[in-house]
Amino acid sequence: IEILAKTDEPFNKIALKLFELPEKSVLRYYLIMKLKDLPKNMKAQKRLLSSWIVEIFIEQLNSQDNNFITSNVNRNKLIISDGSPISNDKQNGNPKKSDKLQKEFYQFLLENRNCFDKETIYQIIISHNRNDNLLYFANMINDFQFVLKYYISLQRWDESLKVLATQQNPDLIYKSATVLLVNYPVKTIDTWIR
């Protein structure tokens, strides 16, 4: 793939061929190589490529999660049908592979944090319902207003107050004061006093 990334072959031709492959890791690796080779002044291309790579990562994570769930359901059916216990070996669902991919994804986000259009990345992650990844990204780019709104929308008042306590940002406090006072008054006032 590194050789393909360095050739003079048109990007769109190679990308389309790799896109047709069932294994998207090859395409993802190719796109990462191309992203690294882009000059800093090609910001639009960097944003486009980085968004595409995030989409591929998220799809792969979802696919691995679905495979893990399916394998667990099938193992549970085995227990029910023959009554014999199975080992609690998580290796059958292959979470180590998923953990590795998750770490690669987080590393990619860290290394390319300046390439992203945050709203686009939020939409990609939200569309796949990857809440942990969403919060990781928002915290990584220090978008604490988004984190606070997220927790408030889920009525997770303690987490909301933790964000306010750690940030001590007057704007965040003013924007969330009413909703927190109405829904969680005692703890909100305690947090403000501290």
Side-chain angles (χ1 to χ4, degrees):
I1 295 299
E2 286 183 45
I3 295 170
L4 277 177
K6 304 283 185 201
T7 65
D8 291 334
E9 199 69 32
F11 169 79
N12 58 343
K13 182 178 177 183
I14 295 172
L16 285 172
K17 291 219 183 268
L18 295 176
F19 184 77
E20 292 172 358
L21 296 175
E23 178 54 49
K24 296 300 181 209
S25 295
V26 177
L27 174 61
R28 182 181 43 128
Y29 187 67
Y30 173 74
L31 294 175
I32 290 171
M33 298 298 295
K34 293 306 272 187
L35 180 63
K36 286 179 181 177
D37 288 343
L38 284 175
K40 288 185 178 187
N41 64 343
M42 297 185 84
K43 291 180 181 181
Q45 290 86 345
K46 283 181 166 268
R47 282 201 168 122
L48 181 65
L49 274 181
S50 62
S51 298
W52 192 5
I53 294 166
V54 167
E55 178 74 31
I56 293 170
F57 265 118
I58 295 293
E59 286 176 355
Q60 288 181 306
L61 287 165
N62 279 344
S63 176
Q64 285 187 357
D65 287 352
N66 289 340
N67 290 342
F68 180 72
I69 290 168
T70 303
S71 73
N72 282 340
V73 167
N74 290 338
R75 286 189 309 158
N76 288 339
K77 286 179 183 175
L78 275 173
I79 292 174
I80 293 169
S81 65
D82 69 5
S84 61
I86 58 172
S87 71
N88 194 12
D89 181 13
K90 291 184 177 181
Q91 197 62 18
N92 294 333
N94 213 354
K96 286 185 181 180
K97 187 176 179 185
S98 181
D99 290 345
K100 182 179 180 240
L101 183 62
Q102 186 71 53
K103 286 177 186 173
E104 284 179 39
F105 177 51
Y106 285 166
Q107 186 63 37
F108 173 77
L109 290 175
L110 281 169
E111 289 174 359
N112 297 284
R113 67 180 348 144
N114 297 325
C115 295
F116 300 121
D117 173 58
K118 77 175 182 178
E119 297 304 322
T120 302
I121 301 304
Y122 282 149
Q123 288 306 311
I124 291 170
I125 297 172
I126 288 169
S127 71
H128 290 280
N129 200 26
R130 304 282 309 180
N131 297 334
D132 290 343
N133 298 132
L134 183 66
L135 287 173
Y136 177 85
F137 179 70
N139 280 304
M140 184 196 72
I141 62 170
N142 298 323
D143 190 354
F144 300 109
Q145 183 173 348
F146 181 88
V147 175
L148 182 61
K149 283 182 183 179
Y150 175 82
Y151 284 136
I152 288 173
S153 72
L154 295 176
Q155 299 180 357
R156 293 170 61 182
W157 310 121
D158 284 324
E159 287 90 345
S160 301
L161 290 174
K162 284 178 188 172
V163 171
L164 288 178
T166 58
Q167 294 309 306
Q168 298 183 358
N169 179 337
D171 288 337
L172 287 180
I173 292 170
Y174 297 139
K175 288 179 183 177
S176 61
T178 305
V179 71
L180 288 171
L181 278 173
V182 168
N183 291 290
Y184 211 53
V186 175
K187 291 259 186 162
T188 300
I189 292 171
D190 287 347
T191 301
W192 289 351
I193 291 172
R194 282 186 255 146

